[in-house]
Amino acid sequence: MEKVMTKNDKILLISYFYGTKGCCPAEWADDKVDAISKIGNEVILLTSVSSKKNESEGIIHYRIPSLSIQDLKHELAELKKEKMDIPYMQFFVFMPFVITLGYLLDLLQKFITSGNGGGKWSWAFPASVCALYLAIRYNCRTIFTTGGPASAHLAGVFVSLLTRKKLVCELQDPLSGKDIGRTANSSKLLSSVEKIIMKAANKVVFVTKNAAAHAKNKYKYMKTEIVAIYPGSKFFSKSENNILPEKLTMIHLGTLYSTRNFNTLIQAIDELIDERLIDKNQIEILNLGEIYGEIKEHHLLRSYIKQESIKPREEAIYIASTYMVSLLIQHSDSRSEATIPYKTYDYINIGNPILALTNSDELSCLLIESGHISVDVDNVDLIKETILSLSKRYIEFKNHVKPLAIDIVEQTNKILHK
């Protein structure tokens, strides 16, 4: 009979990303560690070597490098970029494995997936060995894996199979489905890893009902508990200045690229300007983050669009709270149907109206129920109407916003203890 986990038990949390500025999976893991600590559990944290060290009370943080030569280069570059101490001794010990096994793993990955993607697959090997040691040394009864790269989940599976400890995997994005994976082979690899997780884990947590329902149907003969739990996010301080500017100000936090862009938003605004329904000086949009590809020149040609480099999360949220509207942009392809951007919860915590250009009915319902605005990302006419309404009746929209009861501590408690 499985023992019920108590709030005094140690939890081994495995995530490749942690404490990395501007990285959504890292922010997600950061918040989880904070929430678990508030529940009352001690956290044994295992992350990549490029993560910022957490030295808080109740957190024991281990960092381990990747075996891949390419991934190790990126980790070293991140350490230098963020001016963190470089663990030369650790790198020295790892080097014989890197130039032998790591080189072979890079070749194998290049052959199988046509390149070095975001899975950080080689990290699974040292992470598995280290996680096994940590689980035994600290007598962790629960292993919790999260983050973007699937290598963290593989490490959790390895330890769980050898120790029979409870394994809870939180999939920030589904590992299989349409438009997931860079190539056909990488999609097959991710799908295989998903099956391994489903067979080994005690509980698999998806962050949308749509993704959980799809998984339940796909893996209906497996004993794994599959659930959907909205994660929520940590609260940060925000501006209390209630003086509104004379123009409509909007802000988007994060990267724009590929099918996640301002194209339809710009088309709507340009048409409003051409129709003389608004003046170009009556609107201001800031993208706080990078803009990649051809869309950068296209976007910044507009005088009403500005772009600034990414900021630390707490600073970015404070800046966002000084703008009237928080912009949420989803990809226009099918990957958006099973995901909810993590910044959604930061936006909700800010409390200003959210204008979401969505491709997900579930996200739309979540936002509309709490008084925010959701428009189909491709519906230019409705985007026009919404912007015009916001510019004329902003206070009405602001007063319509209701606090959404998604408490990250309670949600994390559901993930681990219920």
Side-chain angles (χ1 to χ4, degrees):
M1 183 175 180
E2 185 181 348
K3 293 182 180 180
V4 178
M5 179 182 171
T6 69
K7 295 183 180 181
N8 294 319
D9 291 329
K10 294 182 178 69
I11 293 175
L12 174 58
L13 193 157
I14 308 173
S15 174
Y16 178 86
F17 288 116
Y18 181 85
T20 304
K21 185 173 73 174
C23 174
C24 174
E27 293 171 354
W28 200 306
D30 299 350
D31 288 1
K32 279 295 190 298
V33 171
D34 181 74
I36 293 170
S37 297
K38 287 176 179 174
I39 291 170
N41 291 107
E42 186 175 348
V43 180
I44 314 302
L45 177 62
L46 177 61
T47 69
S48 72
V49 73
S50 57
S51 300
K52 185 177 179 181
K53 182 82 170 179
N54 188 325
E55 297 178 345
S56 303
E57 185 178 351
I59 311 295
I60 301 174
H61 189 180
Y62 287 77
R63 298 177 294 175
I64 198 85
S66 295
L67 283 182
S68 160
I69 295 173
Q70 296 300 319
D71 288 341
L72 195 60
K73 284 181 179 178
H74 289 148
E75 290 163 3
L76 183 59
E78 184 67 24
L79 287 168
K80 290 179 178 178
K81 175 185 169 186
E82 297 302 320
K83 299 179 180 178
M84 291 189 284
D85 292 336
I86 298 173
Y88 288 106
M89 184 58 70
Q90 195 178 31
F91 280 0
F92 179 77
V93 171
F94 259 71
M95 202 49 62
F97 301 99
V98 171
I99 61 179
T100 53
L101 289 174
Y103 179 70
L104 291 174
L105 287 170
D106 277 342
L107 287 178
L108 184 63
Q109 183 170 334
K110 187 175 182 181
F111 175 74
I112 294 175
T113 65
S114 304
N116 192 281
K120 308 296 182 185
W121 299 109
S122 77
W123 188 73
F125 295 93
S128 294
V129 175
C130 187
L132 179 60
Y133 163 74
L134 295 176
I136 295 171
R137 176 180 172 180
Y138 293 101
N139 191 26
C140 302
R141 287 179 53 193
T142 298
I143 304 158
F144 176 50
T145 63
T146 189
S151 50
H153 304 302
L154 287 176
V157 166
F158 174 80
V159 178
S160 178
L161 290 175
L162 290 183
T163 64
R164 310 311 301 169
K165 294 179 184 292
K166 179 181 177 182
L167 175 62
V168 179
C169 298
E170 181 188 46
L171 300 182
Q172 296 177 3
D173 293 306
L175 296 182
S176 67
K178 188 179 177 183
D179 296 321
I180 295 175
R182 292 180 303 106
T183 65
N185 283 341
S186 63
S187 295
K188 290 178 183 177
L189 177 60
L190 286 167
S191 183
S192 298
V193 170
E194 186 178 74
K195 289 178 184 176
I196 292 170
I197 293 169
M198 291 296 173
K199 288 180 180 179
N202 300 86
K203 187 176 186 179
V204 177
V205 180
F206 288 89
V207 297
T208 66
K209 296 175 183 177
N210 187 21
H214 177 76
K216 283 179 181 179
N217 182 61
K218 186 176 180 180
Y219 301 105
K220 55 189 172 184
Y221 298 113
M222 293 188 183
K223 295 181 180 179
T224 301
E225 181 185 4
I226 299 172
V227 297
I229 299 176
Y230 295 138
S233 67
K234 182 180 177 181
F235 277 88
F236 292 94
S237 60
K238 57 185 180 179
S239 172
E240 300 299 333
N241 181 11
N242 295 318
I243 300 174
L244 297 178
E246 294 181 355
K247 56 185 172 182
L248 181 65
T249 62
M250 300 191 283
I251 187 169
H252 176 265
L253 301 180
T255 305
L256 296 175
Y257 67 100
S258 182
T259 59
R260 186 171 73 199
N261 53 59
F262 284 166
N263 285 352
T264 52
L265 179 65
I266 287 172
Q267 183 181 343
I269 294 171
D270 283 352
E271 288 183 13
L272 287 171
I273 292 170
D274 290 341
E275 295 165 11
R276 297 186 179 181
L277 294 173
I278 63 170
D279 185 270
K280 64 181 180 181
N281 296 317
Q282 289 180 295
I283 191 164
E284 175 188 320
I285 300 174
L286 172 64
N287 187 73
L288 200 59
E290 301 306 319
I291 304 176
Y292 292 117
E294 297 177 355
I295 62 171
K296 182 169 186 176
E297 182 180 359
H298 170 264
H299 287 16
L300 297 183
L301 276 174
R302 274 67 184 178
S303 61
Y304 54 83
I305 293 182
K306 308 295 181 186
Q307 186 246 336
E308 293 182 14
S309 61
I310 201 157
K311 299 284 192 296
R313 183 184 178 199
E314 189 168 356
E315 181 183 351
I317 290 172
Y318 184 84
I319 292 171
S321 71
T322 67
Y323 281 69
M324 296 164 67
V325 177
S326 300
L327 273 175
L328 188 63
I329 313 289
Q330 281 199 292
H331 286 280
S332 58
D333 57 37
S334 63
R335 79 186 86 174
S336 295
E337 295 171 6
T339 61
I340 292 177
Y342 195 57
K343 67 172 70 73
T344 302
Y345 303 103
D346 284 338
Y347 283 175
I348 288 170
N349 290 344
I350 288 170
N352 289 334
I354 299 170
L355 171 56
L357 306 187
T358 65
N359 190 29
S360 161
D361 291 339
E362 185 173 347
L363 175 57
S364 295
C365 290
L366 181 69
L367 292 171
I368 291 170
E369 285 172 3
S370 57
H372 296 286
I373 311 154
S374 178
V375 181
D376 186 290
V377 66
D378 292 320
N379 192 334
V380 175
D381 288 337
L382 190 51
I383 295 172
K384 286 171 65 176
E385 290 178 24
T386 303
I387 292 171
L388 200 57
S389 297
L390 276 166
S391 65
K392 292 180 177 179
R393 298 184 286 111
Y394 175 76
I395 295 298
E396 183 180 326
F397 283 94
K398 172 79 172 176
N399 292 336
H400 190 58
V401 171
K402 295 177 287 189
L404 189 63
I406 299 182
D407 184 316
I408 184 171
V409 176
E410 177 58 31
Q411 299 300 87
T412 303
N413 190 37
K414 288 180 184 178
I415 291 172
L416 295 173
H417 296 284
K418 297 180 181 179

